[in-house]
Amino acid sequence: MQKQINLQEEFVQYVSQPSLNKVTFFDLLLKACINNDLVLAENQQFIKEKQKLQLLDLFYQAGNWFCHAYNLDLKRWFVLRLDKFKVVKQLKPDRVIMSKNELSESYQEYEQKHYCIPYQCLLTKAGEQKVKYNSYPIMKVIHNRQGIYLNGSYNKEELHYLVDYLISLGSEVKIIKSRELKEKYLEKLQRIIQQY
């Protein structure tokens, strides 16, 4: 059996995109997720000062590591890139923090409220493949008699991320709704065209 595994390793290669950026505090952040520890962190993304965070999980997407983080002082969820953390320290809780189950339920509730604007796009077969290679948890590919659809929801604050994502699909996507998404998409395409 070991000989067969070694033979497979010689001829079968799995190529994936490496992490684009160094994550200095990966071990400490992972430990905080596993043990449901409270951390004091400076992230330099949305809030420039130190924050008390509870981390739900770590995930890898499009060459970067991220976490779902709950800010205890603001009582608000954030998706943070791990390579943007400048300081991370484990803290002893100075208040009651959520259990892992409560944290998970809180995130699910947040996700339903935060991503509240539905969208739908028509995909080609090639577009479906591109989405499968790089999609987000709030996206769903649906097949029916009319075609292949990409359905999901977004938050107005993050609309530009969705526009950039859809632009990356090229001619393999057509936005059906929302009107706002379609307008922002066309505006971005016009800016691209004006460069030439």
Side-chain angles (χ1 to χ4, degrees), residues 36 54 70 77 96-104 106:
N36 199 32
Q54 259 188 287
Y70 183 74
W77 283 95
V96 175
I97 62 172
M98 288 186 269
S99 70
K100 203 64 170 169
N101 283 342
E102 291 168 329
L103 198 62
S104 182
S106 172

Side-chain angles (χ1 to χ4, degrees), residues 28-94:
L28 189 56
L29 295 166
L30 179 59
K31 185 178 174 223
C33 285
I34 293 168
N35 298 330
N36 199 32
D37 291 333
L38 182 63
V39 295
L40 182 66
E42 189 177 324
N43 181 268
Q44 300 299 309
Q45 263 184 287
F46 303 105
I47 298 166
K48 303 302 180 193
E49 63 264 4
K50 292 180 181 165
Q51 312 170 60
K52 290 180 182 175
L53 302 173
Q54 259 188 287
L55 306 183
L56 177 63
D57 57 13
L58 307 182
F59 62 98
Y60 183 78
Q61 178 96 39
N64 289 298
W65 282 96
F66 296 87
C67 68
H68 291 108
Y70 183 74
N71 182 306
L72 271 71
D73 294 322
L74 298 177
K75 297 181 179 13
R76 183 172 170 207
W77 283 95
F78 292 94
V79 175
L80 302 174
R81 273 183 42 183
L82 300 193
D83 62 293
K84 298 292 185 182
F85 281 90
K86 303 300 176 201
V87 175
V88 178
K89 294 179 185 174
Q90 184 179 354
L91 287 179
K92 298 250 187 268
D94 59 351

